[in-house]
Amino acid sequence: MSHSSQAFPNHTAEAFDALFAVTIDGLLIFDSGGDCQAANPAACDLFQVSSDQLIGRDRQDILNSLEDRGLTEHPNLQDHIGEGWLRRKDGTICYIDYHTHVNFLEQYDLVILRDITLQKQTSEPNLATSQENLQSLFELSPFGIILNSLDGQFLEANPAVLTLTGYSLEELKTLTYWDLTPLDYAEEEAQHLDSLQRIGRYGPYRKEYIHKQGYRIPVELTGVLITGTDGQPYIWSIITDISQRLEAERALEESHIRLQLALDAANIGTWDWNPQTGVITFDPLMKAMLGYESHELENRIEEWESRLHPDDLPSINQKLDAHFQGQTHTYQSEHRTRCKDGSYKWTLDRGRIVDYNKEGQPIRFLGIYQDIDERKTNELVLRRVTKQLQKAQEFAHLGYWSLDIATQTLTWSDEVFYIFGLTPEMGEPDFEEHLKIYDPEQRSFILERVTEAQQGTPQNFDSHFRLPNNETRYVNIRIEAEWQNQEPVRVFGIIIDITDRHTEAALRASEEKLRSLFELSPLGITLNQIDGNFIEANAAFCTMLGYSLAELSELCSKDLTAANYEEFEVQKLQDLQTNGRYGPYQKEYLHKNGHRIPVEISGAQVGNSQDYVWSIIMDIRERKQAEAQLQQLLNNSQAKSQELQQAYRELQEAQVQLIQSEKMSSLGQLVAGIAHEINNPISFIYGNLEPASNYVQDLLALIRLYKTQTQDDIPEVVNLSQTIDLEFIEEDFPKIIQSMKMGASRIQDIVTSLRTFSRLDEADCKAVDLHLNLESTLILLQNRLNGRGGTPEIRVVKQYGDLPPITCYIGLLNQVFINLLSNAIDAIEAKQKQNRSPKYQGLITITTATTATAEVLITIADNGKGMTANEQSRLFNPFFTTKPIGQGTGMGLPISYQIITQNHSGVLRFQSQPGVGSEFTIQIPMAIPNGSAVHKHSAAS
């Protein structure tokens, strides 16, 4: 705590210290003995000394440095205002405006010093300019700025506040902030005002203001308590409209929900780690992947680290270090994690540091966690198969190569180098150099084969060449083209050393190698005739289908294929005969026991006459099961997402109905109260107008009698008669009384309409006169219809039918009437702004009638701007409005639609044409049965 707060133990230290430290004026506090107890930074800057050099010094010793006799000649400090100057340590002159306060708190004196050097050096016009700049800032600020008295009365407000609330400045000055604050904020508002009086400020905090049109506006307030020049407390507040911010927050929350649903559907868990504390939070899905319940793992990084496979730990730490040092944008690791049952599961970790502390140390590391055990298992199987195939290529002296057609670049496998008597370290030759390896008579033949392959014809041929040691080597070459956008981009093929085929011993050795590969392969391998008869099958295939080799030799592939695959098999056989190969594709084989086994097959024709087929068969049951489980999870997540969306829509509609019901109930009570308060005084006035009129007539008759009976004119009477224009009074006074009668009658009509409209909150279903309620609604809207609001007059045509009393919820129907009529007026005013022609006049036609089916039709038509097809398709959607921003909530028609359809079992339909106008028709039964579902629903509402 500073010296300033120690000097005043009975006051709020925190608030006093903050104000004492940040004020731009120099402040010196002296005790009753004249010793300095506190000096703020501004005072130290003025004297160019530290606070320690001022605290403890005698008052006169400090103030003697000021060149002002009014301050320094008095041994006892008095309340005094004046100007002076002092010469500072750097030799500069500083002009001071000072103000002394004796006993500003008990036993303590205060001296306020303000540097006015710049003002002394600046002309008065510059001060005026500064004042103008501040006023411009006040007027142009996008934030609302208001000045209130402590009781809440509005004193000043900038245009942003007027736009926000809908009031003019004159209207606002007649209100207090309590008038704009909803009742449900009263308790919270009182707490903020208490905070303002205790610490001199409040906020920022959120609340709502009531717009002039009645709807609520979410705002954020920050305020400070000041003392005016009159010594009275005032409140300056800054108000921000946070409607868009709240919409963004709601959108962010929805986005978070969608993201969580996507993560759940993809079986992806999340984690959140603070590297400084070691606390890491795993979501329940991540724990479930390892077989744990949500409460079984502590949120410590050691829990995760202890479950990592020891062989993977160095790689994980290396990747983490690289990310912490900024070498990688994202941390990613595939490793094994120990499950609850002791087994290890392959998992994928991916994450990123998203937050740092002031020292630059990471404090938040977010990431995801995914089970990739199945993929890694498949990769390991594929790697083993690839390795076996590579071994087979080495055994068979088989190499593969490719030629980029555009660049003529060759790419060889290691075995190709060995076949040509070279080593991989020597690198591939270009295509021209490669052709020189072959005997001269072979070069043009090979070039022709490559050309035909580029044209789309697969090639399979034998050739030979001489090695550097003059040994002749025989090879079999197969070539195909790779196509993109119907153009060949690459030719690739295999080359097989067939030199050993020239000797029987070499052939037997090669056959034994292939037989070993054939028998040991984990994949099923079969040799069939072109008609499907089995010739050979390895142990993996026999085990897969439950047959022995002898049993398979009596069967063909068709016997093992389910009937629903027959047409599919015919197509694949045609592909085989056309391209010399087929697959990979999926089908089902029939096991010896009768059940089906899903498999993936690839095959190729072999033999000189291409009448044999080698096939590789992979059992994909586990893959299919995994796919089915994944699809089930996806279906479940989609179903739950739809349920959540439906529940959200229903909740939204319920909230809208509740808010509207409360609002209309409050409005009904308010209107009824106003009507009652107006009715009493106007009844008094109206009741006394007739006697007053009689009295006036009697007095005028007396004056006329006096004039006829008096022979001599009395000068004083004559002068007064001329001064007050007695003849004009005799003529005009009866007219005034008659005008007062007409005005009072008009007010009585308005009160009657208000009392009729105040039944908005009535929940009873009763028989009413709809025409009376339509007339009451028109009276309430008369100001907008008769053009007194600055717009042209709108003509209303009433085509009322003969309606009996209608049993309905009249409070709700009044709400529908005022919504439809207000919308019609808005549409006409919008067209008036677009169409400035004097010939155009707004017209609203109200038609009522009954139908043969005991229903009532109320039609409200206008010749306003009409609606487009897009607007009509969304007209009854909540929060959709055709009006400019700030002029409509988008809830009037949706609520009206619910009132007609749900509360009255009726129909609300419309038709509209852009530029011509719109027509809304209400169709409801003449009576709602008390036992009906609609009646029960409405009563419950």
Side-chain angles (χ1 to χ4, degrees):
M1 186 181 294
S2 69
H3 292 286
S4 59
S5 60
Q6 292 172 356
F8 305 98
N10 293 328
H11 296 268
T12 304
E14 181 181 354
F16 191 93
D17 283 346
L19 293 173
F20 192 80
V22 302
T23 182
I24 61 173
D25 293 332
L27 301 178
L28 297 174
I29 299 175
F30 300 91
D31 60 17
S32 58
D35 293 330
C36 181
Q37 296 297 313
N40 73 337
C44 296
D45 290 341
L46 287 175
F47 289 92
Q48 292 187 335
V49 295
S50 66
S51 59
D52 293 335
Q53 293 176 294
L54 290 174
I55 294 173
R57 289 177 57 185
D58 180 75
R59 179 174 58 218
Q60 289 302 118
D61 181 35
I62 296 174
L63 299 182
N64 280 339
S65 57
L66 285 175
E67 295 296 324
D68 182 80
R69 298 300 91 190
L71 180 65
T72 59
E73 290 180 353
H74 301 285
N76 295 320
L77 192 66
Q78 302 292 327
D79 284 350
H80 187 64
I81 297 176
E83 290 184 4
W85 59 273
L86 63 85
R87 187 179 299 277
R88 301 197 289 187
K89 286 186 177 182
D90 59 3
T92 60
I93 299 297
C94 180
Y95 291 93
I96 303 297
D97 185 351
Y98 63 85
H99 191 173
T100 63
H101 296 271
V102 178
N103 289 328
F104 86 107
L105 287 176
E106 185 176 357
Q107 301 298 319
Y108 292 94
D109 303 328
L110 174 67
V111 176
I112 302 175
L113 306 171
R114 177 171 295 179
D115 186 351
I116 59 172
T117 304
L118 185 60
Q119 298 177 19
K120 288 291 186 179
Q121 298 171 351
T122 306
S123 64
E124 288 300 321
N126 287 338
L127 293 177
T129 301
S130 176
Q131 180 66 25
E132 292 176 0
N133 291 339
L134 289 175
Q135 184 63 31
S136 298
L137 178 62
F138 176 79
E139 296 291 337
L140 299 176
S141 172
F143 300 103
I145 304 175
I146 57 174
L147 177 67
N148 298 81
S149 61
L150 199 57
D151 60 1
Q153 186 70 40
F154 285 99
L155 303 176
E156 287 293 340
N158 69 343
V161 174
L162 306 182
T163 301
L164 181 68
T165 61
Y167 289 98
S168 67
L169 183 59
E170 291 72 17
E171 292 172 328
L172 204 60
K173 286 184 177 181
T174 65
L175 305 173
T176 70
Y177 51 67
W178 294 107
D179 297 322
L180 302 188
T181 300
L183 292 178
D184 45 348
Y185 286 91
E187 183 176 350
E188 181 182 356
E189 191 74 5
Q191 293 175 356
H192 288 297
L193 289 176
D194 180 65
S195 172
L196 178 71
Q197 294 178 341
R198 286 187 293 102
I199 63 174
R201 63 178 183 272
Y202 62 74
Y205 71 95
R206 294 181 178 183
K207 62 176 285 187
E208 290 178 316
Y209 268 155
I210 302 174
H211 192 273
K212 183 179 179 180
Q213 295 183 359
Y215 60 86
R216 296 188 178 192
I217 308 165
V219 295
E220 184 175 85
L221 274 78
T222 303
V224 63
L225 187 66
I226 65 168
T227 301
T229 56
D230 57 359
Q232 297 300 315
Y234 296 95
I235 307 171
W236 275 114
S237 301
I238 296 179
I239 304 150
T240 305
D241 185 348
I242 60 172
S243 302
Q244 295 183 351
R245 188 194 308 174
L246 293 179
E247 287 294 331
E249 290 174 357
R250 283 193 288 271
L252 180 61
E253 182 179 0
E254 293 174 3
S255 175
H256 176 73
I257 292 173
R258 289 195 294 269
L259 174 61
Q260 188 59 50
L261 290 174
L263 291 175
D264 293 343
N267 201 30
I268 297 176
T270 61
W271 47 266
D272 189 343
W273 175 29
N274 184 338
Q276 302 308 311
T277 64
V279 174
I280 185 168
T281 303
F282 302 102
D283 71 355
L285 179 60
M286 181 174 174
K287 296 180 181 180
M289 288 181 189
L290 301 179
Y292 291 96
E293 299 294 334
S294 59
H295 63 276
E296 288 187 293
L297 287 179
E298 294 184 11
N299 292 328
R300 300 293 303 173
I301 190 64
E302 293 80 10
E303 287 279 357
W304 172 73
E305 191 173 8
S306 65
R307 286 166 175 77
L308 298 176
H309 196 286
D311 294 342
D312 298 336
L313 196 55
S315 173
I316 296 171
N317 289 331
Q318 181 181 1
K319 293 175 181 177
L320 283 172
D321 290 341
H323 186 61
F324 279 124
Q325 294 170 11
Q327 299 173 5
T328 59
H329 182 259
T330 303
Y331 157 73
Q332 179 169 321
S333 173
E334 294 182 359
H335 51 262
R336 290 161 289 182
T337 308
R338 189 176 71 255
C339 300
K340 184 177 180 180
D341 60 7
S343 63
Y344 280 92
K345 177 179 289 188
W346 279 98
T347 56
L348 167 67
D349 269 4
R350 184 184 290 117
R352 184 183 303 167
I353 298 172
V354 298
D355 198 8
Y356 297 83
N357 60 19
K358 294 180 180 179
E359 291 74 26
Q361 299 170 324
I363 58 174
R364 195 171 190 194
F365 198 157
L366 296 179
I368 63 170
Y369 181 98
Q370 189 172 12
D371 183 349
I372 59 170
D373 196 57
E374 180 182 356
R375 175 170 68 81
K376 295 297 290 187
T377 301
N378 292 337
E379 288 177 357
L380 292 175
V381 172
L382 180 60
R383 194 175 296 119
R384 286 196 298 269
V385 173
T386 302
K387 188 174 182 180
Q388 291 171 354
L389 289 176
Q390 289 175 346
K391 289 288 185 182
Q393 291 175 3
E394 294 175 6
F395 289 146
H397 297 290
L398 183 151
Y400 55 87
W401 59 273
S402 66
L403 171 64
D404 188 298
I405 296 176
T407 64
Q408 293 292 295
T409 301
L410 273 174
T411 302
W412 285 355
S413 68
D414 291 350
E415 191 61 27
V416 176
F417 283 96
Y418 301 140
I419 291 175
F420 286 108
L422 306 173
T423 62
E425 291 76 14
M426 301 173 65
E428 296 92 339
D430 60 33
F431 188 66
E432 293 295 332
E433 292 176 349
H434 169 62
L435 286 177
K436 294 178 182 178
I437 296 177
Y438 295 92
D439 293 341
E441 69 274 11
Q442 291 287 313
R443 295 173 187 169
S444 59
F445 173 74
I446 292 174
L447 188 58
E448 289 175 1
R449 302 283 76 76
V450 172
T451 302
E452 289 187 13
Q454 292 181 17
Q455 295 173 353
T457 304
Q459 301 295 307
N460 185 350
F461 61 92
D462 293 341
S463 184
H464 61 274
F465 54 87
R466 288 184 182 276
L467 295 174
N469 61 2
N470 286 327
E471 176 187 346
T472 300
R473 179 156 290 176
Y474 295 88
V475 293
N476 175 259
I477 302 175
R478 302 183 184 189
I479 309 175
E480 289 190 13
E482 179 182 340
W483 297 75
Q484 290 183 6
N485 300 325
Q486 300 182 347
E487 293 290 336
V489 296
R490 187 168 64 101
V491 292
F492 61 91
I494 61 173
I495 181 169
I496 307 173
D497 184 354
I498 60 173
T499 304
D500 290 344
R501 296 181 186 176
H502 290 272
T503 65
E504 186 177 352
L507 181 60
R508 284 198 299 269
S510 176
E511 185 178 353
E512 290 176 0
K513 294 177 183 178
L514 290 174
R515 173 59 63 178
S516 299
L517 173 64
F518 178 77
E519 293 296 340
L520 297 174
S521 172
L523 304 175
I525 303 176
T526 63
L527 177 64
N528 299 75
Q529 292 178 339
I530 197 68
D531 59 4
N533 291 326
F534 285 99
I535 298 174
E536 290 285 349
N538 69 346
F541 185 76
C542 293
T543 303
M544 187 187 304
L545 298 184
Y547 291 97
S548 66
L549 181 58
E551 291 172 325
L552 285 174
S553 64
E554 301 295 328
L555 303 172
C556 70
S557 60
K558 185 177 180 180
D559 298 326
L560 304 180
T561 302
N564 55 308
Y565 287 92
E566 288 183 0
E567 294 184 5
F568 187 63
E569 284 291 290
V570 171
Q571 178 185 347
K572 293 301 176 182
L573 183 59
Q574 291 175 352
D575 293 343
L576 178 67
Q577 293 172 341
T578 302
N579 303 321
R581 63 196 307 167
Y582 63 82
Y585 71 94
Q586 296 181 4
K587 60 178 284 188
E588 288 180 318
Y589 268 145
L590 297 175
H591 191 273
K592 183 178 180 180
N593 294 334
H595 61 269
R596 297 189 177 195
I597 301 174
V599 295
E600 186 173 270
I601 304 177
S602 299
Q605 282 183 298
V606 295
N608 294 332
S609 59
Q610 301 288 298
D611 52 0
Y612 294 97
V613 182
W614 276 111
S615 300
I616 297 177
I617 302 98
M618 178 185 295
D619 185 345
I620 58 172
R621 279 178 289 186
E622 292 184 358
R623 187 200 304 177
K624 288 290 185 181
Q625 292 173 358
E627 290 175 354
Q629 292 174 355
L630 181 60
Q631 184 62 40
Q632 183 62 34
L633 288 174
L634 179 60
N635 293 339
N636 292 341
S637 66
Q638 290 176 343
K640 293 208 175 279
S641 177
Q642 293 173 356
E643 293 174 1
L644 288 174
Q645 290 175 359
Q646 180 62 26
Y648 176 75
R649 285 193 293 269
E650 294 175 356
L651 176 60
Q652 192 177 44
E653 291 178 0
Q655 289 175 334
V656 167
Q657 289 182 346
L658 180 60
I659 292 172
Q660 188 66 16
S661 297
E662 289 296 327
K663 182 172 70 175
M664 298 310 295
S665 174
S666 299
L667 178 60
Q669 294 173 7
L670 176 63
V671 169
I674 293 174
H676 178 74
E677 292 300 325
I678 294 176
N679 187 58
N680 289 337
I682 202 63
S683 297
F684 172 81
I685 294 172
Y686 192 85
N688 287 287
L689 280 176
E690 188 63 33
S693 177
N694 295 334
Y695 298 160
V696 168
Q697 293 296 334
D698 293 339
L699 290 174
L700 292 176
L702 177 62
I703 292 173
R704 286 193 290 269
L705 178 62
Y706 178 80
K707 290 169 62 178
T708 58
Q709 296 298 322
T710 303
Q711 299 299 327
D712 299 324
D713 291 336
I714 301 173
E716 289 82 2
V717 173
V718 172
N719 291 337
L720 180 60
S721 298
Q722 293 175 350
T723 300
I724 64 175
D725 197 353
L726 181 59
E727 292 181 358
F728 175 78
I729 291 176
E730 291 180 82
E731 178 184 355
D732 192 62
F733 201 8
K735 296 179 181 179
I736 291 175
I737 296 297
Q738 185 61 31
S739 296
M740 291 173 67
K741 288 183 179 180
M742 293 176 62
S745 177
R746 172 63 178 159
I747 293 174
Q748 282 187 324
D749 291 342
I750 293 175
V751 169
T752 301
S753 298
L754 287 174
R755 295 176 65 182
T756 300
F757 190 78
S758 68
R759 294 198 295 266
L760 279 172
D761 60 336
E762 288 186 0
D764 293 338
C765 184
K766 59 178 66 176
V768 296
D769 183 352
L770 288 185
H771 291 159
L772 176 61
N773 285 273
L774 282 169
E775 290 297 323
S776 298
T777 305
L778 289 172
I779 289 174
L780 293 179
L781 296 173
Q782 193 63 37
N783 189 60
R784 297 187 65 188
L785 293 170
N786 59 19
R788 295 175 187 171
T791 57
E793 181 181 357
I794 298 173
R795 190 161 64 96
V796 178
V797 175
K798 306 169 189 175
Q799 299 175 352
Y800 291 166
D802 186 13
L803 298 185
I806 306 303
T807 302
C808 61
Y809 298 96
I810 190 56
L812 298 178
L813 279 184
N814 281 343
Q815 183 180 348
V816 176
F817 293 157
I818 200 163
N819 283 339
L820 295 181
L821 288 169
S822 296
N823 287 346
I825 295 172
D826 291 339
I828 291 172
E829 290 179 348
K831 188 172 180 179
Q832 288 171 341
K833 293 179 181 178
Q834 297 172 358
N835 186 358
R836 298 294 184 179
S837 172
K839 297 181 179 180
Y840 173 74
Q841 182 181 14
L843 174 65
I844 296 176
T845 302
I846 305 175
T847 305
T848 63
T850 58
T851 67
T853 56
E855 293 179 310
V856 179
L857 296 179
I858 304 115
T859 301
I860 298 176
D862 66 77
N863 64 342
K865 68 173 186 177
M867 294 178 287
T868 64
N870 179 51
E871 291 172 339
Q872 294 180 44
S873 66
R874 303 168 59 193
L875 194 60
F876 293 129
N877 292 351
F879 306 111
F880 172 74
T881 178
T882 62
K883 302 172 186 176
I885 295 175
Q887 295 186 16
T889 64
M891 293 308 303
L893 285 178
I895 291 173
S896 298
Y897 183 83
Q898 290 181 355
I899 291 172
I900 299 301
T901 59
Q902 295 183 13
N903 296 88
H904 292 85
S905 293
V907 177
L908 176 60
R909 57 180 179 268
F910 68 92
Q911 56 185 3
S912 181
Q913 185 175 347
V916 176
S918 302
E919 179 181 288
F920 285 81
T921 299
I922 301 169
Q923 182 175 346
I924 59 173
M926 291 187 182
I928 303 175
N930 288 340
S932 69
V934 174
H935 176 81
K936 294 177 181 177
H937 172 77
S938 301
S941 301

